[in-house]
Amino acid sequence: MRRHASTTAEVVSFSAGALVGAGLALLYAPKTGTEMREKVSDVTGDAIAKMKGLTAEAQDKLNRNLRRGREYAEEKVSELSSNIEEREQYH
């Protein structure tokens, strides 16, 4: 599970770096001011949409893992309670 979280962080970091690189490439491209503003606006909107998507995906994965962990813990508590009750019956 720790490796999975690390992979997600790597993907998010790579994506953010790629978006910053794309933005810098646009800034150094030979265009007029109006064209540049439009292009920066488009890229910024795309970057925001991608980051929102990645954030939502990461939240979904985290919620699924938390739910699985909670279910596992509840199962183990139930097993432990059953074992304690069985021991108390014999003592």
Side-chain angles (χ1 to χ4, degrees):
M1 182 137 111
R2 185 172 272 170
R3 178 65 186 145
H4 181 69
S6 176
T7 302
T8 303
E10 289 171 357
V11 169
V12 170
S13 297
F14 176 79
S15 299
L19 293 172
V20 169
L24 288 173
L26 286 174
L27 291 175
Y28 286 102
K31 296 190 184 265
T32 66
T34 303
E35 290 175 329
M36 182 59 63
R37 283 190 295 276
E38 288 175 6
K39 194 70 168 170
V40 168
S41 177
D42 291 343
V43 169
T44 302
D46 291 345
I48 289 170
K50 286 180 183 179
M51 292 307 289
K52 284 181 179 179
L54 290 172
T55 301
E57 185 179 318
Q59 286 176 332
D60 289 342
K61 287 179 183 180
L62 178 62
N63 288 334
R64 279 194 306 268
N65 288 334
L66 285 173
R67 187 180 66 248
R68 286 181 195 149
R70 191 176 305 119
E71 289 169 357
Y72 178 79
E74 289 171 354
E75 179 183 314
K76 292 303 174 186
V77 166
S78 178
E79 288 176 13
L80 182 61
S81 296
S82 295
N83 289 340
I84 290 171
E85 288 174 7
E86 288 177 13
R87 284 187 173 193
E88 287 177 350
Q89 289 177 353
Y90 293 112
H91 290 290

